[in-house]
Amino acid sequence: MYDYLIAGAGLAGSVFARVMTDCGRKCLVLDRRGHVGGNIYSEIVEGIEVHKYGPHIFHTDNEEVWKFLNRFSSFNHFIYSPIANYKGELYNLPFNMNTFHSLWGCVTPEEAMGKIAGQKQASGIIEPGNLEEQAVMLVGRDIYEKLIKGYTEKQWGRPCRELPAYIIRRLPVRFTFDNNYFNHPYQGIPTEGYTKMIEKMLDGIEVRLDIDYLDHKSEYENTAKKIIYTGAIDEYFDYCFGELEYRSLRFETEILDIDNYQGAAGVNYTDKETPYTRIIEHKHFHFGKGNAEKTVITREYPASWKKGDEPYYPVNDKKNIKLYERYKKESMKNPRVIFAGRMGTYQYYDMDKVIASALELADTEKRVRI
């Protein structure tokens, strides 16, 4: 009946379905949730677009990806400039001259670089072997202790000394007075929201919601010539080699009868004692538009993952990568099933990388006779 059955109506599945439909292939999209969009799903609450599964700020330097998305939505010019709150002390993120001035009183880049260089030298670290050592080598001991350590240990549920160095190697550090967290030329939030964007992407494509493909595998697996699976790869194989590790999140959303709660879209709480990692004030993604009398905030709590929880962040350490390779090898035994997306490939991708990967997969499939 179908050329492709796509399990998952998130970014990866929706992009693939759109491209293949446009080239004449017939697609069916299933999703276990009652809505499209996956984790970028947003809904309107009190006239404010609320990112239900955590904040998503689109940013990319990939012009092909940017042009593709602009077929389905225009974007505002939102620039993410979060604030770090360490026990009531406020600092700009990413680490830049504003941060260095608040912390050390530095006025010039030379002063800031000298301060960091002195702390690096005092650490005695030559080759960073874990996240803590890597952070100290990037920004010095002071910033690590105040703005990295507590936040990171809450996020990953383990000491920084037990986390791999690569997690923080791309940490943005700038010696300019620039609070733009991302350095990509294309940034913003869809003007009508992420859900509307995905709905337009899936226009004319058959979508069935509230259906878990794995629960209905025998019913659906022979309805299409190929299956694109965007869920967790270990779940697909019923954890036959064991469970891959993930980190999960818990959200507490609150409607407040005020116009402006914190003055920023995101405030990170970097001390270890505060149980949540950040508070998101959703209206600031659209420059305060939506409701002058109310605001919506979400506190984000990191959580250990167990079966039945939503997996958000793969724990890509050596043990889990080795286990993933076993599942990947197993997946290659059945060429009818292709694993895609963040969970299907056990990778923490930014949105633009998810889209680029789905476009690449679609480009490959367009050349295949099925």
Side-chain angles (χ1 to χ4, degrees), residues 276-296:
Y276 42 86
T277 49
R278 58 183 173 181
I279 296 178
I280 299 301
E281 188 167 9
H282 300 268
K283 72 189 314 181
H284 293 304
F285 291 125
H286 292 280
F287 311 101
K289 297 176 182 176
N291 191 330
E293 298 179 353
K294 293 183 184 291
T295 193
V296 182

Side-chain angles (χ1 to χ4, degrees), residues 180-225:
N180 180 356
Y181 196 84
F182 305 111
N183 59 4
H184 292 148
Y186 307 114
Q187 298 185 47
I189 307 288
T191 51
E192 294 183 282
Y194 282 104
T195 301
K196 285 284 186 185
M197 182 183 77
I198 295 296
E199 287 173 349
K200 289 181 180 179
M201 197 179 294
L202 292 170
D203 184 43
I205 300 169
E206 185 175 354
V207 178
R208 300 181 190 178
L209 302 175
D210 292 310
I211 296 176
D212 188 330
Y213 170 72
L214 295 183
D215 290 342
H216 299 270
K217 202 172 178 183
S218 60
E219 177 185 349
Y220 280 100
E221 66 179 344
N222 292 319
T223 62
K225 297 170 185 175

Side-chain angles (χ1 to χ4, degrees), residues 69-95:
L69 281 192
N70 275 265
R71 290 173 52 192
F72 313 103
S73 178
S74 58
F75 284 74
N76 66 19
H77 57 282
F78 175 79
I79 299 295
Y80 192 44
S81 303
I83 299 295
N85 183 322
Y86 177 78
K87 300 181 179 181
E89 299 174 15
L90 301 183
Y91 300 94
N92 288 105
L93 297 174
F95 306 131

Side-chain angles (χ1 to χ4, degrees), residues 3 106 136 161 172 208 245 255-256 260 321 327:
D3 294 306
C106 296
V136 171
R161 284 185 168 274
R208 300 181 190 178
E245 286 185 87
I255 301 170
L256 303 176
N260 187 355
I321 291 171
Y327 281 114

